[in-house]
């Protein structure tokens, strides 16, 4: 366990500005780029303990997690 509680905030689609998935999933950007204009992200799905990793264009509106040193 990590102690992290990610809220399912959903996603803003870059192509048309629509917003979807609130209450169902949370997409969180990684600090690692995959390529120019692409970055890794993690997906947390409500009522599911699996965490997946994928890559997307960095124009999507995903959540971020701020850490305090």
């Amino acid at each position: 366990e990590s102690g992290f509680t990610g809220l399912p905030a959903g996603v803003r689609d870059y192509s048309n500005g629509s917003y979807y998935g609130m209450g169902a999933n949370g997409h969180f950007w990684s600090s690692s780029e995959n390529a120019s204009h692409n970055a890794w992200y993690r997906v947390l799905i409500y009522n599911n303990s699996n965490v997946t990793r994928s890559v997307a264009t960095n124009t999507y509106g995903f959540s971020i997690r701020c850490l305090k040193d």
Side-chain angles (χ1 to χ4, degrees):
E1 290 199 21
S2 68
F4 173 65
T5 303
L7 299 175
V11 174
R12 184 193 55 83
D13 189 322
Y14 75 95
S15 63
N16 60 18
S18 66
Y19 192 80
Y20 57 91
M22 191 160 102
N25 56 57
H27 292 64
F28 292 85
W29 285 119
S30 166
S31 60
S32 303
E33 282 191 330
N34 174 269
S36 180
H37 305 293
N38 291 315
W40 292 104
Y41 67 95
R42 299 281 183 172
V43 180
L44 304 176
I45 300 173
Y46 179 73
N47 278 347
N48 188 324
S49 62
N50 295 329
V51 178
T52 59
R53 182 180 82 153
S54 193
V55 67
T57 177
N58 59 17
T59 54
Y60 274 99
F62 294 166
S63 299
I64 59 170
R65 179 182 177 201
C66 297
L67 300 175
K68 183 179 178 180
D69 285 340

